Amino acid sequence: MGLRLKFNLILAACFILGLLASSMLFYQVSKNNAMERLHAQIGVLRAQALAVRRYTSEEIRPLLSDMSDVQFLPQTVPSFSAQTAFNNFRDHYSDFYYKEAVLNPTNPDDLATDWEKGLIDKLRENTSLKEVVAIRDGKNGKEYTVAFPLAIKSEGCLTCHSTPDRAPASMVALYGDKNGFGWKLNEVVGAQIFSVPLKVAEQQTWEVLQLLIGAMSAIFLILLILINLLLRWMVVSPVIKMAEIAEQVSMGDSSQPEYAHPGADEISSLSQSFNRMRRSLDNAMKMLES
């Protein structure tokens, strides 16, 4: 095995180890960045939902309050408005999910599913939590999910959700008197749950990782070619030349010229030492002949 092959094998091994280590580190950092971007997306979606809730509460409900006494209008409920607006948003982004899931809702459509109950229970067990993050399997792959607590912070909410006799008669007539009651002040009754698909973020992470590996491999290949050219010019060729001269001299051919490598590096020093050794050998042979 030649010197150049050994050198190339060592370089290749170092490159592969370095590439594996850097790829793992880069993947983890990229994955964390992707999660942060998804969390930021959910923050924007929640801000929009809260804006719709506030608009409904401050602008729509007062306008329709008189009509609600005769017929209960779900459009005056902030939760209903926010979720309806988001359903329209899903016409363009069907993989996104938003629900105001409640353990004991007035509207049956808001009833929490089993996996939603698990998130709500975590928020109820620790009321200091501002959010719960989970990665779950959705219909179209893994989803990044964040749940925010829905707590009763206003006495006004208890007008509709404490007991059926306090609730508007039109609401009881629409939804009945069995569900959506018994809520208490400061109680976490449900959660705002948002989910966004992970597949886009994962795909982007893998694409960037593949680009990194390709770029590093191309740079390594170029450097390897340059290093081999320099190695041949600066080390291999001079050593081969000196080895050829040494072989001819060892066979008794003293007509071979001395080899002087230019420069002040180790190969140049080796060539000078080789020439001195050869002259010493020639002198010794002459002394023996005489």
Side-chain angles (χ1 to χ4, degrees):
M1 185 182 292
L3 177 64
R4 186 163 50 181
L5 180 57
K6 291 180 181 179
F7 185 75
N8 288 335
L9 289 176
I10 293 173
L11 278 181
C14 293
F15 170 74
I16 292 173
L17 291 175
L19 182 63
L20 289 175
S22 61
S23 296
M24 292 175 62
L25 178 61
F26 178 82
Y27 176 77
Q28 191 60 45
V29 172
S30 298
K31 185 177 179 180
N32 293 338
N33 290 338
M35 294 300 179
E36 291 178 1
R37 290 195 299 270
L38 292 177
H39 202 86
Q41 286 183 341
I42 287 179
V44 173
L45 295 176
R46 186 177 184 231
Q48 293 174 335
L50 293 175
V52 174
R53 287 174 62 94
R54 181 177 178 182
Y55 177 76
T56 302
S57 178
E58 296 180 358
E59 304 292 338
I60 303 300
R61 179 181 287 176
L63 292 176
L64 301 179
S65 59
D66 293 338
M67 296 180 61
S68 296
D69 294 335
V70 179
Q71 178 184 359
F72 185 78
L73 301 175
Q75 291 79 6
T76 62
V77 180
S79 173
F80 180 88
S81 297
Q83 294 182 89
T84 301
F86 194 86
N87 286 335
N88 294 332
F89 170 82
R90 293 186 74 241
D91 290 340
H92 304 280
Y93 298 93
S94 58
D95 290 337
F96 287 67
Y97 177 87
Y98 170 55
K99 180 179 177 181
E100 297 196 10
V102 181
L103 297 177
N104 179 26
T106 302
N107 188 342
D109 293 339
D110 297 334
L111 181 63
T113 61
D114 290 339
W115 70 269
E116 292 169 342
K117 287 179 182 178
L119 297 176
I120 296 172
D121 288 340
K122 291 182 180 180
L123 294 170
R124 287 169 63 88
E125 291 169 2
N126 186 356
T127 55
S128 64
L129 288 177
K130 296 186 180 299
E131 62 184 39
V132 172
V133 178
I135 296 178
R136 54 178 298 272
D137 293 324
K139 295 180 180 179
N140 299 315
K142 292 188 178 296
E143 297 178 346
Y144 184 82
T145 301
V146 184
F148 302 91
L150 283 174
I152 305 303
K153 297 297 183 180
S154 172
E155 288 282 355
C157 295
L158 298 179
T159 302
C160 296
H161 298 287
S162 57
T163 58
D165 57 292
R166 291 186 60 190
S170 58
M171 188 189 80
V172 176
L174 179 62
Y175 294 115
D177 59 358
K178 303 299 182 183
N179 301 312
F181 300 104
W183 295 8
K184 299 178 182 179
L185 191 64
N186 297 321
E187 178 188 12
V188 176
V189 297
Q192 284 182 295
I193 299 176
F194 297 85
S195 291
V196 294
L198 272 173
K199 59 183 180 182
V200 175
E202 289 181 341
Q203 181 179 355
Q204 291 176 346
T205 299
W206 280 112
E207 288 177 352
V208 175
L209 180 60
Q210 291 172 2
L211 180 62
L212 173 69
I213 293 175
M216 290 181 66
S217 299
I219 293 173
F220 172 76
L221 182 60
I222 294 172
L223 288 176
L224 188 63
I225 293 173
L226 292 176
I227 290 173
N228 272 270
L229 292 174
L230 291 173
L231 184 65
R232 180 175 179 81
W233 173 54
M234 298 177 66
V235 178
V236 176
S237 292
V239 170
I240 291 176
K241 183 65 175 176
M242 284 187 285
E244 291 175 348
I245 295 174
E247 184 176 2
Q248 295 297 323
V249 172
S250 68
M251 299 293 291
D253 184 4
S254 60
S255 64
Q256 293 292 322
E258 292 187 353
Y259 177 77
H261 184 74
D265 55 15
E266 289 80 359
I267 299 298
S268 177
S269 177
L270 177 63
S271 69
Q272 294 173 11
S273 298
F274 175 75
N275 291 330
R276 284 195 299 270
M277 182 185 68
R278 180 185 172 185
R279 287 193 293 268
S280 298
L281 181 61
D282 288 342
N283 293 332
M285 292 298 294
K286 291 177 180 178
M287 292 176 63
L288 289 174
E289 290 176 354
S290 62

